[in-house]
């Protein structure tokens, strides 16, 4: 099956932009590059935040797990590439409301390494992560 994309280089950004436009009432960007996204009510419920993330090679590239009753935020990487620690950290900060943040991600080396770094950045700001 062929895919309809404008350009492989802009594919992920165009998908994220489209989702933000279509679901702006449910999602918001937590970073300037729109690669960290959170539920519109993230960080406001007095509960533990849940952040996931990973590369965009497999649909729904982790973004599909963000929603009410699901994850609070997501860090979106390029195709088959981990998100950066800064993107993961931005999703963490936006998902925290003082109760800490649970990380859920695959056992891909880049995700493990970058989530560990994001957790260290969060710990420096007093945000507990697991």
């Amino acid at each position: 099956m062929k895919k309809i994309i404008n350009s492989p280089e802009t594919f992920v950004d165009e998908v994220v932009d489209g989702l933000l436009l279509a679901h702006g009432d449910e999602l918001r960007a937590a970073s300037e590059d729109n690669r960290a996204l959170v539920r519109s009510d993230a960080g406001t419920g007095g509960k533990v935040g849940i952040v996931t993330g990973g590369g965009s090679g497999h649909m729904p590239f982790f973004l599909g797990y963000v929603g009410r009753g699901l994850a609070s935020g997501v860090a979106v990487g390029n195709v088959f590439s981990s998100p950066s620690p800064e993107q993961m950290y931005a999703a963490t900060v936006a998902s925290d409301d003082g109760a800490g943040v649970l990380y859920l991600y695959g056992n891909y080396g880049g995700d493990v390494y970058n989530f560990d770094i994001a957790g260290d950045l969060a710990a420096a700001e007093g945000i507990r992560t697991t």
Side-chain angles (χ1 to χ4, degrees):
M1 179 174 155
K2 294 195 176 217
K3 296 179 181 177
I4 300 173
I5 60 173
N6 293 322
S7 165
E9 294 79 23
T10 60
F11 163 71
V12 177
D13 291 324
E14 289 177 357
V15 169
V16 170
D17 290 345
L19 288 168
L20 285 170
L21 287 169
H23 300 287
D25 58 328
E26 297 178 33
L27 293 172
R28 63 181 167 87
S31 64
E32 288 186 27
D33 65 359
N34 290 350
R35 291 299 188 93
L37 303 173
V38 295
R39 290 190 330 245
S40 58
D41 65 344
T44 63
K47 299 178 182 176
V48 172
I50 301 173
V51 172
T52 189
S56 297
H58 304 286
M59 292 299 185
F61 60 92
F62 297 94
L63 181 55
Y65 297 112
V66 176
R68 294 190 194 280
L70 298 168
S72 312
V74 65
V76 179
N78 285 324
V79 175
F80 302 123
S81 177
S82 293
S84 72
E86 293 80 14
Q87 293 160 337
M88 295 171 181
Y89 173 69
T92 301
V93 170
S95 296
D96 180 57
D97 62 359
V101 176
L102 173 67
Y103 287 157
L104 297 176
Y105 53 90
N107 196 25
Y108 172 69
D111 292 343
V112 172
Y113 182 72
N114 288 345
F115 266 106
D116 284 349
I117 293 172
D120 290 343
L121 294 170
E125 298 295 323
I127 300 171
R128 293 177 297 156
T129 60
T130 300

